[in-house]
Amino acid sequence: MRFFTAHFRPAMAGLALLGFASGAQADDDKSRRTVTVTASGSVTVEPDRARISSGVTAEGKTAREALTVNSAAMRKVIDELKGAGIDAKDIQTSQFRVEPRYTRPMEGQAPAIDGYSVSNEVQVLVRDLDKLGDIFDRLVTAGANRSAGLNFEVSKAETLLDDARKEAVANARRRAELFAAAAGASVGEVLTITEGGGEGPRPVFMSARAMKADAAPIERGTETLEASVTITWALK
């Protein structure tokens, strides 16, 4: 029993000292004056590639019939894409559905299946934007009848966003110094930095008719990449 008592008391004393130190540090953190600022930065760039989505919807009396018609049309669509210089690795099936088609029932009757619909859609990465108009024309000519989505992209967006991030930090620092000076203080060390979500290109949706109109002239324009940060400084 003596051996046990001799080792037990120092351990309890150490725990008590640790708790006291943690409490003192917590009080110090609460008393520290800080300033927190959220700011953003942006950079304007020209997109260098695009993603488009298009496909075929076909109907038939049976699921097999609808699938056969759809498959034949999709083969033409994919062949046209490859003929336009799109690499096979840049063509990916994004959606495939087989759905029954129902009749509109008379009152008191249950709906009945009178056919099937098959939809097949692909997403295509276009690395040469000068080919977009021709690609849309080829899609419709091949039988694509689903609305196409067009989304411009910047291949080096992550690297280009670094300039926007630097601008965001500079804007946050400038505002923090303004607030601190107005409060009779000065900005000290950085305590935390949190990056917010950036905003990139938005998709543009085109109908089959629009895709066919005179080889669909497409203007790439420019894209604005944005970055935001939230930074907390200690005040002196």
Side-chain angles (χ1 to χ4, degrees), residues 130-146:
D130 292 335
K131 294 181 178 180
L132 273 177
D134 179 56
I135 289 173
F136 282 130
D137 185 65
R138 285 171 174 262
L139 285 172
V140 177
T141 301
N145 57 11
R146 290 184 61 83

Side-chain angles (χ1 to χ4, degrees), residues 2-234:
R2 291 180 181 177
F3 178 78
F4 175 81
T5 303
H7 286 78
F8 178 76
R9 289 178 178 174
M12 291 299 292
L15 288 174
L17 179 60
L18 178 62
F20 175 78
S22 298
Q25 183 176 355
D27 291 341
D28 182 63
D29 290 341
K30 290 180 180 179
S31 64
R32 172 178 286 180
R33 297 187 303 165
T34 63
V35 58
T36 300
V37 176
T38 297
S40 62
S42 63
V43 59
T44 300
V45 297
E46 187 173 302
D48 59 349
R49 66 186 189 185
R51 290 186 188 274
I52 60 177
S53 58
S54 185
V56 175
T57 295
E59 297 184 345
K61 286 294 184 180
T62 65
R64 180 180 293 276
E65 179 183 335
L67 180 60
T68 298
V69 174
N70 184 283
S71 298
M74 280 303 299
R75 276 193 290 270
K76 292 181 181 179
V77 167
I78 293 173
D79 286 344
E80 285 294 332
L81 288 171
K82 292 179 179 179
I86 303 298
D87 197 294
K89 71 177 186 300
D90 292 330
I91 305 173
Q92 183 179 47
T93 298
S94 58
Q95 187 180 96
F96 183 84
R97 294 200 311 268
V98 179
E99 299 175 316
R101 185 182 63 199
Y102 293 93
T103 58
R104 181 169 299 185
M106 300 291 290
E107 185 176 354
Q109 296 181 346
I113 295 176
D114 74 339
Y116 289 84
S117 173
V118 175
S119 297
N120 193 344
E121 188 172 300
V122 292
Q123 186 175 87
V124 184
L125 176 60
V126 181
R127 301 179 187 272
D128 184 353
L129 295 185
D130 292 335
K131 294 181 178 180
L132 273 177
D134 179 56
I135 289 173
F136 282 130
D137 185 65
R138 285 171 174 262
L139 285 172
V140 177
T141 301
N145 57 11
R146 290 184 61 83
S147 296
L150 169 62
N151 188 16
F152 287 108
E153 294 182 353
V154 179
S155 60
K156 297 182 179 179
E158 180 61 26
T159 300
L160 294 171
L161 268 171
D162 287 346
D163 291 334
R165 293 181 177 110
K166 292 176 183 177
E167 181 180 298
V169 171
N171 288 337
R173 175 80 188 195
R174 176 181 53 80
R175 289 167 56 187
E177 291 176 346
L178 176 67
F179 295 147
S186 61
V187 173
E189 64 176 332
V190 174
L191 300 180
T192 62
I193 300 179
T194 303
E195 182 176 19
E199 184 173 345
R202 297 181 179 180
V204 178
F205 295 97
M206 302 179 66
S207 64
R209 178 177 296 180
M211 289 192 297
K212 184 65 175 176
D214 296 328
I218 305 296
E219 297 296 332
R220 71 185 72 183
T222 58
E223 298 290 347
T224 299
L225 305 177
E226 295 185 353
S228 65
V229 293
T230 298
I231 305 178
T232 298
W233 284 271

